[in-house]
Amino acid sequence: MVTKIKIRDLNVFFGEKQALNDINLDIEENSVTAIIGPSGCGKSTFIKCLNRMNDTIRECKVTGKVILRDGTDIYDSKMDLVRVRKNIGMVFQKPNPFPKSIFENIAFAPRIHGVKNKKDLANIVEESLRKAAIWDEVKDRLDKPAYDLSGGQQQRLCIARALAVNPEILLLDEPCSALDPIATAKIEELLVELKNEYTVVIVTHNMQQAGRVSHKTAFFYMGDLIEYGDTAQIFENPKEELTERYITGRMG
Ligand code: ADP
Ligand code: MG
């Protein structure tokens, strides 16, 4: 197994309040890693650290390192943030397509990154939509508004949008929490497929989901990483009492 993301001594503060305490974690390449834990424990804060999304919050301070396989630390002051976010895509809880056509949602970022040729753009759009398992549902209406799609389709469109700039890492923060079970199952299937090509990190409050899609699971509690290991071990044989209490529903 190859480590794709090495997180070292990661601390996050919002003003005076510390939200993550000294997190150390190695994320495996081409696998799905699940982040679980009760509401407010720091899951979103953690996953946002992995592509410097917290930089956009003024009172937020991050210390520590997030080192990629090529040895670069994304918190290095010389790091190009546009490149970081191109390489590390993010999908949020609520699908957030742009108020544009399906085609334009996907073509937007590649165009910004310099793809001008119409045929190249069309190819990227098709390939991205195929990878996100939504091509067949939208291929005949690429010029229609993305808002016309169902919630589950919009979320797969957002995944396609993230894939369109060729990232290596895909971060998803509770991507199914606004979706029905059928749409959720589609996304789960998709994630299992995507890990062959990408390193996937998913925050989920749904433990069955973590069990179904992930190979490794990290359990957070009140800003601490309590336990990290193979998903089967975490769920069947947790080492820490806090983990056990959480997965058996005896917490809070
Ligand atoms: P989770 O995703 O696990 O529910 P979060 O990462 O959203 O938890 O939040 C972790 C802690 O950080 C919480 O105490 C929350 O109130 C705090 N927090 C998150 N975002 C901000 C922010 N923008 N400003 C101040 N505090 C924040
Ligand atoms: Mg959250």
Side-chain angles (χ1 to χ4, degrees), residues 146-172:
Y147 286 170
D148 289 356
L149 298 171
S150 71
Q153 289 173 325
Q154 287 187 18
Q155 197 59 305
R156 277 177 287 141
L157 181 76
C158 290
I159 292 174
R161 185 175 65 185
L163 300 181
V165 289
N166 250 328
E168 295 177 54
I169 298 165
L170 187 62
L171 311 173
L172 305 107

Side-chain angles (χ1 to χ4, degrees), residues 106 120-135 159-161 163-164 166 194 197-198:
I106 311 298
D120 292 344
L121 276 175
N123 285 339
I124 291 173
V125 169
E126 175 170 349
E127 193 191 348
S128 306
L129 291 167
R130 280 191 189 279
K131 280 184 181 169
I134 188 178
W135 171 249
I159 292 174
R161 185 175 65 185
L163 300 181
N166 250 328
L194 288 175
E197 212 174 322
Y198 306 92

Side-chain angles (χ1 to χ4, degrees), residues 41-68:
C41 71
K43 302 181 296 296
S44 295
T45 302
F46 173 74
I47 201 167
K48 284 184 194 156
C49 284
L50 303 184
N51 75 346
R52 292 190 54 173
M53 206 56 108
N54 285 317
D55 282 24
T56 57
I57 302 166
R58 261 185 76 219
E59 65 277 19
C60 181
K61 185 177 157 230
V62 179
T63 65
K65 290 181 194 299
V66 174
I67 303 161
L68 302 182

Side-chain angles (χ1 to χ4, degrees), residues 7-8 42 84 87 89 99 123 126 158 166 175 183 185 199 203 220-221 242:
I7 294 122
R8 289 295 177 270
V84 169
N87 192 28
N123 285 339
E126 175 170 349
C158 290
N166 250 328
T199 299
V203 171
F220 282 73
Y221 184 67
L242 275 172

